Amino acid sequence: MDHTAIQSESRIAHFPIMFFAVVMGFGGISIAYFKAHEVLGIPLLVFEGLRALTSLLFLVIFSLYTIKFLINQAGVKKEFSHPIRINFFAAFSIALLLLAIIWKSVPSLGGSLFWLGAGVHTFLTFYTVSFWINNNFEITHSNPAWFIPIVGNLIVPVAGDGMASATFLGYYFAIGIFFWVVLFTVVFYRIIFHNQLPQKFMPTLFIFIAPPAVGFLAYLKVGGGFDLLAQFLLNLALFFAFLLLFMYKNFMKLQFFISWWAFTFPMAALTIALLVAYEKSHEAVYLHLGELFLLFATLLVAGVSVKTLRHIYKREICVIEE
């Protein structure tokens, strides 16, 4: 085996599970453009192109992580027992659920992706909560990425609309909302009263936007209307978005990490929520905010993509990282 082949195998052996957040980012922006097609009249071709790209990225990332599992099972096991990285395994199941949404027009494919994604996410929910209970954690281990495996249950009702009963989907809505409140309290306490988040986890603050935004969408899918609770969830998502934009200086000089992808999905989720809110209420403010956040989410996905490709080219990703 030549030196180049050895280097390539070594990089795949350290391929991080966090890469599935790339699919979450592209899946979110794909759905945002589909909704923008319905509300703003943006050509459907934009969504179809993003759908194809998202699907290709999923296949590539899934293939690379499968190879990693085959050649470095110890590394996968280490990630699966890591107090922070374990949460990113749910990015895989969420990616499946997002793919189910963007392929809903092909019922056999969309349905298969939904049931597979829901099944994997259910397992990861139970595994992660039991992992938390059975291990000793420090408060500094907590960060917004803890929302991914548990609050990610809120995506199941959004993806499963028309594929499963309201009773089935309501189960996941309840889990997601309950643990959002619990984990938000823990993580916010950690952020305020303990040391600041390490620089690499600063982008995960954007995850605060996702639970209320996706919760808003899920609430509508399980039978809720555009009522006070729906507006409560949407306004909380807007508050955290405005707060983080107000804190923009905290993010301007961050060193690049793969965690930058945490910027993308929450902004796409908020964009979708705003466009849906406009459909339900016909309030112009939601339309204009939806247009603004669509532009912002698009620039974020494009910018983080360029940064990621640049660091892959410079071989600064897929290296040993503590």
Side-chain angles (χ1 to χ4, degrees), residues 24-297:
M24 288 180 60
F26 273 96
I29 200 68
S30 298
I31 299 166
Y33 270 97
F34 180 75
K35 183 52 64 178
H37 163 70
E38 293 183 328
V39 177
L40 305 176
I42 290 177
L44 187 62
L45 185 63
V46 178
F47 160 71
E48 291 174 341
L50 286 168
R51 178 174 65 177
L53 178 58
T54 303
S55 304
L56 177 62
L57 285 169
F58 175 80
L59 291 173
V60 170
I61 292 168
F62 177 74
S63 298
L64 290 173
Y65 202 81
T66 300
I67 295 171
K68 172 181 175 172
F69 176 77
L70 294 174
I71 66 176
N72 185 20
Q73 293 185 26
V76 174
K77 185 177 180 180
K78 183 178 179 181
E79 283 190 313
F80 205 49
S81 59
H82 191 277
I84 295 173
R85 294 177 193 173
I86 184 177
N87 301 295
F88 287 92
F89 279 86
F92 166 67
S93 53
I94 291 174
L96 289 171
L97 292 168
L98 295 175
L99 286 169
I101 296 172
I102 66 177
W103 285 106
K104 189 170 282 191
S105 59
V106 184
S108 58
L109 178 56
S112 298
L113 288 166
F114 168 71
W115 289 109
L116 178 59
V120 174
H121 201 84
T122 300
F123 166 77
L124 289 172
T125 295
F126 283 113
Y127 183 88
T128 305
V129 174
S130 62
F131 181 81
W132 290 342
I133 293 171
N134 292 328
N135 290 274
N136 295 320
F137 287 92
E138 301 292 336
I139 189 67
T140 51
H141 286 148
S142 64
N143 67 77
W146 279 33
F147 290 165
I148 299 172
I150 310 302
V151 185
N153 282 279
L154 290 170
I155 298 177
V156 176
V158 181
D161 182 42
M163 299 183 192
S165 69
T167 301
F168 178 84
L169 300 179
Y171 167 83
Y172 290 92
F173 176 76
I175 295 170
I177 289 293
F178 174 78
F179 277 101
W180 167 44
V181 175
V182 173
L183 292 177
F184 175 82
T185 304
V186 172
V187 174
F188 207 63
Y189 167 82
R190 176 259 190 272
I191 289 172
I192 293 176
F193 294 106
H194 291 266
N195 294 335
Q196 291 188 348
L197 289 173
Q199 189 184 72
K200 62 164 39 174
F201 291 119
M202 285 294 292
T204 66
L205 288 173
F206 273 68
I207 297 176
F208 279 134
I209 300 168
V214 179
F216 165 80
L217 297 170
Y219 177 69
L220 296 178
K221 297 297 185 184
V222 298
F226 192 71
D227 53 22
L228 188 60
L229 178 56
Q231 293 176 60
F232 171 81
L233 293 168
L234 181 60
N235 287 330
L236 277 178
L238 279 170
F239 168 77
F240 285 115
F242 293 147
L243 173 65
L244 291 168
L245 291 174
F246 183 79
M247 296 170 56
Y248 75 96
K249 290 182 180 179
N250 295 57
F251 306 100
M252 293 301 292
K253 296 182 180 180
L254 288 180
Q255 181 183 351
F256 177 81
F257 295 99
I258 197 67
S259 59
W260 273 34
W261 282 96
F263 288 134
T264 59
F265 175 74
M267 297 307 297
L270 177 57
T271 301
I272 299 163
L274 288 165
L275 294 176
V276 169
Y278 172 71
E279 282 186 317
K280 296 291 183 181
S281 69
H282 302 292
E283 291 281 353
V285 64
Y286 294 130
L287 175 64
H288 298 318
L289 284 172
E291 293 171 331
L292 179 64
F293 279 104
L294 178 64
L295 174 61
F296 188 44

